């Protein structure tokens, strides 16, 4: 199955019953899969007239209590930022998939990781955070859909799946295990006010101090997410002299490079952030006492590296290797770079 | 004694934040009365616009959501598709529906979504301080057309209702004016029909209400109603468009 198909199938199996999307490469298979298979599950799939409409349809479906999702690629995700901010402000759950492509502007359709800042720093207006998960394989992307919808409901907050064109197009075997779905009561949802006081979904607070209170409540939620949602994978850290940090599709190439260097006896370790926000600072904590060199490898000109620097309290040497706009750091280039650090 | 006129259950008995002579109060009440008459208060989900009526939920005693500026019909589409048994309507001003939200308006109508739209046309942006609206009349003085709207520079009043009436997915369009007991009664009937259409599955229905904004027209409340009757109706004729 391709990554795009697996994400769509994972979403449906995770209880997603509303999808709205607008065509953009390289995520079109996802929209097509939803159009074909969502109705079989009794759900709704709409090809919206724009990305703005699509994300606001997610807003409406979420307000009405459905598990709702949209997907796009970088330029389309820029258009969705307004709606993501409104989801965060109104504390509505929703899942947004970004299969990143080259930018800025119209860019190109090659895989890229240049939207890291946009995803992890908010992207739209206001002080808010989205939970951001970065799958590195088709199987993981499938599984993360369960987690994404669960966390969206649990925190009443948008969740972003940050993939890239490589992952979206990649075909990999997928063993489909029935995921567990926890259902959340949604007494706040718009259902008609039968037997209760009217529900209001809002992000406008004009009364003195009201918006500050809302922001403080949001910050509390984000702090809880920081404590409980850090996720990462690491390998070969015990004797490592150089630790390479990479996520998503980039990690796959880095892993190959590190394996080759290990086979040649080089002491290289590996950290893969799985949650990009919250960034897994805790993965770095046990290493802070050691004097190690770090290398961040990205399909960008250096975005995740800023979080690595923060996790290292900027005390350790850290180097960068990255290409974007269609260029991808090759295994050979990664090996060459690491050798200069040994 | 039989009580023949009472405060609608769907309207909270609170004081209003609207300016003296504003049409929103009348429009809110008409909607509330129609909801009561159809017995759908517990099934209604309303979408409040960005604009002066963003606080509509402070007045309506039923479920309500905000929407980003212009996106009310995208939000409404999804709510109705998720909950087809509920009665879903948007309440939008001219800027919301016919400028920033034109795309959502046309495509929602063109999909023939089974929704109801209450469209308040007061030919001006009220909440932001009286700027030109897509429906401002030629020659109308606003904060951004100090010498009056000039077609050479700002184009023409947009007759979105007539545009929408061309679409096969649109089933009912009527323009009414909130200017006199007789016209307000017609408006009441139009709102009732637009909501009843949805309940009966007829499809996309829109009621455009010409509504006074004395504050940004620089007129008394009475003069504003007169301006609708004498001037605005010439550009936006009343009656059933589809």
């Amino acid at each position: 199955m391709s990554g795009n198909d697996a994400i769509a199938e994972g979403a449906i199996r995770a209880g997603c019953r509303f999808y709205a999307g607008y065509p953009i490469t390289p995520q079109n298979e996802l929209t097509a899969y939803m159009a074909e298979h969502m109705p079989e599950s009794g759900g709704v799939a709409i090809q919206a007239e724009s990305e703005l409409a699509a994300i606001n349809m997610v807003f409406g479906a979420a307000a009405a209590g459905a598990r709702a999702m949209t997907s796009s690629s970088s330029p389309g995700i820029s258009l969705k930022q307004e709606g993501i901010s409104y989801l965060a402000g109104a504390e509505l759950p929703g899942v947004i998939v970004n299969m990143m492509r080259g930018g800025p502007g119209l860019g190109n359709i090659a895989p890229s990781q240049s939207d890291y800042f946009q995803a992890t720093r908010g992207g739209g207006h206001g002080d808010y955070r989205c939970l951001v998960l970065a799958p590195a394989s088709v199987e993981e992307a499938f599984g993360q859909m369960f987690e994404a919808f669960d966390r969206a409901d649990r925190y009443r907050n948008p969740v972003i799946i940050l993939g890239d064109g490589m992952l979206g197009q990649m075909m990999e075997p997928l063993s489909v295990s029935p995921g567990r779905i926890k259902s959340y009561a949604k007494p706040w949802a718009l259902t008609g006010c039968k037997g209760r006081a009217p529900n209001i979904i809002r992000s406008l607070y004009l009364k003195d101090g009201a918006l500050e209170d809302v922001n403080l409540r949001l910050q509390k939620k984000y702090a809880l997410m920081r404590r409980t949602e850090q996720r990462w994978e690491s390998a070969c850290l015990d004797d490592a002299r150089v630790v390479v940090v990479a996520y998503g599709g980039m990690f796959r190439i880095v892993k190959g490079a590190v394996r080759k260097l290990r086979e040649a006896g080089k002491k290289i370790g590996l950290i893969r952030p799985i949650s990009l926000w919250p960034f897994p600072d805790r993965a770095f904590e046990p290493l802070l006492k050691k004097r190690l060199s770090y290398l961040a490898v990205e399909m960008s000109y250096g975005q995740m590296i800023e979080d690595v620097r923060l996790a290292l309290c900027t005390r350790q040497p850290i180097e960068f290797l990255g290409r974007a706009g269609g260029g991808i750091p090759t295994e050979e280039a990664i090996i060459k770079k690491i050798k200069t650090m040994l | 004694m039989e009580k023949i006129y009472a405060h609608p259950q769907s309207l909270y008995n609170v004081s209003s934040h609207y300016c003296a002579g504003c049409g929103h109060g009348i429009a809110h009440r008409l909607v509330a009365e129609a909801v009561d008459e159809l017995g759908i208060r517990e099934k209604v989900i309303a979408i409040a616009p960005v604009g002066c009526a963003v606080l509509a939920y402070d007045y309506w005693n039923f479920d309500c959501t905000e929407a980003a500026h212009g996106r009310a019909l995208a939000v409404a589409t999804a709510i109705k598709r998720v909950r087809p048994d509920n009665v879903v309507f948007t309440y939008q001003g001219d800027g919301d529906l016919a400028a920033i939200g034109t795309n959502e308006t046309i495509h929602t109508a063109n999909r023939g979504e089974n929704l109801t739209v209450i469209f308040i046309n007061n030919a001006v942006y009220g909440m932001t301080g009286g700027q030109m609206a897509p429906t401002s009349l030629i020659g109308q003085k606003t904060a951004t057309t100090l010498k009056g709207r000039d077609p050479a520079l700002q184009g023409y009043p947009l007759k979105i209702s007539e545009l929408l009436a061309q679409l096969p997915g649109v089933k009912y369009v009527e323009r009414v004016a909130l200017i006199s007991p007789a016209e307000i009664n017609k408006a009441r009937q139009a709102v009732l029909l637009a909501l009843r259409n949805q309940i009966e599955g007829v499809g996309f229905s829109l009621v455009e209400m010409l509504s006074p904004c004395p504050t940004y027209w620089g007129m008394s409340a009475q003069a504003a109603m007169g301006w609708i009757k004498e001037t605005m109706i010439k550009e936006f004729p009343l009656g059933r468009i589809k």
Side-chain angles (χ1 to χ4, degrees):
Chain A
M1 218 176 201
S2 77
N4 283 332
D5 286 351
I7 285 172
E9 181 61 29
I12 293 171
R13 287 180 189 240
C16 177
R17 289 297 173 268
F18 186 92
Y19 173 85
Y22 183 85
I24 184 169
T25 308
Q27 62 83 57
N28 290 314
E29 298 80 4
L30 210 165
T31 311
Y33 195 98
M34 285 296 195
E36 185 180 353
H37 296 288
M38 184 61 98
E40 296 164 7
S41 312
V44 177
I46 299 181
Q47 181 174 327
E49 61 270 30
S50 71
E51 305 295 359
L52 296 174
I55 188 71
N56 282 286
M57 286 176 186
V58 168
F59 183 101
R67 284 195 160 178
M69 167 180 145
T70 184
S71 65
S72 190
S73 181
S74 308
I77 295 292
S78 292
L79 284 170
K80 289 186 199 290
Q81 293 304 330
E82 174 198 54
I84 296 171
S85 168
Y86 276 74
L87 284 169
E91 291 193 82
L92 288 176
V95 175
I96 300 105
V97 176
N98 180 1
M99 304 310 271
M100 290 180 282
R101 60 184 251 182
L106 202 47
N108 65 16
I109 59 169
S112 177
Q113 294 182 321
S114 301
D115 304 346
Y116 181 95
F117 284 154
Q118 187 192 51
T120 58
R121 265 59 177 171
H125 58 284
D127 255 322
Y128 72 93
R129 298 287 190 169
C130 297
L131 182 68
V132 183
L133 300 172
S137 71
V138 170
E139 179 138 16
E140 188 180 33
F142 176 85
Q144 277 184 1
M145 297 316 291
F146 288 85
E147 198 178 342
F149 281 100
D150 182 84
R151 297 305 188 274
D153 278 352
R154 181 185 299 178
Y155 294 110
R156 290 181 59 185
N157 203 67
V159 174
I160 294 175
I161 300 290
L162 197 65
D164 58 66
M166 198 193 306
L167 180 80
Q169 304 296 323
M170 190 191 279
M171 300 284 277
E172 285 187 312
L174 171 68
S175 62
V176 174
S177 47
R180 273 206 315 247
I181 303 175
K182 184 181 167 193
S183 86
Y184 291 80
K186 297 182 175 177
W188 45 265
L190 304 177
T191 57
C193 62
K194 193 172 170 63
R196 58 163 170 77
N199 282 342
I200 297 165
I201 304 288
R202 67 191 299 180
S203 60
L204 176 80
Y205 295 93
L206 295 173
K207 290 203 177 81
D208 244 9
L211 185 59
E212 189 169 6
D213 288 346
V214 170
N215 268 289
L216 290 171
R217 191 177 72 230
L218 291 178
Q219 290 304 320
K220 234 184 217 173
K221 178 165 81 176
Y222 303 147
L224 173 66
M225 288 161 78
R226 272 201 179 93
R227 282 199 303 279
T228 54
E229 298 298 338
Q230 291 189 22
R231 293 192 42 215
W232 70 91
E233 164 188 9
S234 59
C236 311
L237 293 180
D238 289 346
D239 63 348
R241 289 178 52 205
V242 174
V243 177
V244 188
V245 188
Y247 71 94
M250 193 65 249
F251 169 79
R252 301 286 291 262
I253 299 169
V254 164
K255 199 168 140 188
V258 170
R259 190 185 298 124
K260 280 192 181 153
L261 288 167
R262 274 270 157 193
E263 280 163 11
K266 310 287 184 195
K267 290 178 175 164
I268 315 297
L270 200 53
I271 293 177
R272 173 171 76 99
I274 297 172
S275 62
L276 301 183
W277 196 91
F279 190 77
D281 298 330
R282 284 211 291 277
F284 297 83
E285 270 167 24
L287 308 175
L288 288 178
K289 284 185 197 130
K290 300 186 197 172
R291 183 76 184 167
L292 303 175
S293 292
Y294 291 83
L295 173 67
V297 186
E298 302 178 56
M299 284 186 270
S300 81
Y301 289 101
Q303 300 195 15
M304 177 197 66
I305 189 174
E306 295 197 0
D307 281 333
V308 179
R309 268 198 201 107
L310 288 170
L312 295 171
C313 312
T314 66
R315 282 198 302 254
Q316 308 266 7
I318 172 160
E319 299 206 25
F320 178 72
L321 176 66
R323 292 174 65 189
I328 298 172
T330 60
E331 195 174 288
E332 295 71 35
I334 296 165
I335 290 171
K336 199 172 149 197
K337 176 73 181 176
I338 294 172
K339 281 184 174 167
T340 67
M341 298 170 65
L342 285 165
Chain B
M1 200 194 295
E2 192 194 354
K3 203 171 183 180
I4 57 165
Y5 193 69
H7 195 87
Q9 192 191 1
S10 292
L11 197 67
Y12 294 124
N13 197 356
V14 293
S15 62
S16 151
H17 79 286
Y18 294 114
C19 304
C22 170
H24 276 305
I26 302 169
H28 283 13
R29 183 175 178 122
L30 290 178
V31 170
E33 284 177 353
V35 167
D36 279 5
E37 188 170 334
L38 295 167
I40 53 173
R41 192 185 71 86
E42 293 179 330
K43 289 175 83 173
V44 158
I45 300 173
I47 293 93
V50 168
C52 291
V54 62
L55 298 173
Y57 44 74
D58 283 350
Y59 306 109
W60 284 330
N61 180 14
F62 40 71
D63 276 12
C64 210
T65 181
E66 290 168 359
H69 198 24
R71 319 287 169 236
L73 279 166
V75 172
T77 293
I79 293 175
K80 183 69 182 180
R81 294 282 193 107
V82 168
R83 301 199 171 276
D85 295 334
N86 286 81
V87 178
V88 181
F89 75 88
T90 67
Y91 182 101
Q92 300 176 260
D94 36 55
D96 194 83
L97 181 129
I100 194 168
T102 317
N103 200 27
E104 284 78 3
T105 302
I106 289 179
H107 284 279
T108 305
N110 195 47
R111 283 192 303 269
E113 301 287 346
N114 187 25
L115 292 168
T116 304
V117 180
I118 307 299
F119 167 33
I120 306 297
N121 178 0
N122 60 10
V124 80
Y125 282 76
M127 194 169 74
T128 47
Q131 295 86 352
M132 181 190 70
T135 51
S136 292
L137 301 192
I138 292 167
Q140 187 181 337
K141 288 182 180 162
T142 71
T144 48
T145 54
L146 294 173
K147 293 177 179 168
R149 183 176 190 165
D150 176 356
L153 296 174
Q154 290 104 13
Y156 297 86
L158 185 61
K159 292 179 180 142
I160 189 92
S161 292
E162 280 82 350
L163 278 173
L164 292 173
Q166 307 298 315
L167 303 173
V170 173
K171 301 303 175 192
Y172 171 58
V173 182
E174 180 149 4
R175 184 180 289 122
V176 297
L178 306 177
I179 54 173
S180 66
E183 294 302 330
I184 289 168
N185 198 38
K186 285 183 200 161
R188 177 182 290 116
Q189 297 308 319
V191 174
L192 270 171
L193 181 55
L195 287 169
R196 199 177 283 128
N197 279 348
Q198 185 181 157
I199 295 163
E200 291 168 2
V202 173
F204 192 90
S205 301
L206 179 144
V207 179
E208 175 177 345
M209 297 181 176
L210 305 186
S211 176
C213 180
T215 300
Y216 290 112
W217 294 353
M219 297 175 192
S220 69
Q222 208 176 355
M225 293 209 174
W227 189 73
I228 292 178
K229 194 176 170 190
E230 304 303 328
T231 310
M232 203 174 170
I233 282 175
K234 288 189 186 129
E235 186 68 34
F236 295 103
L238 302 186
R240 187 152 177 172
I241 301 168
K242 188 171 190 178

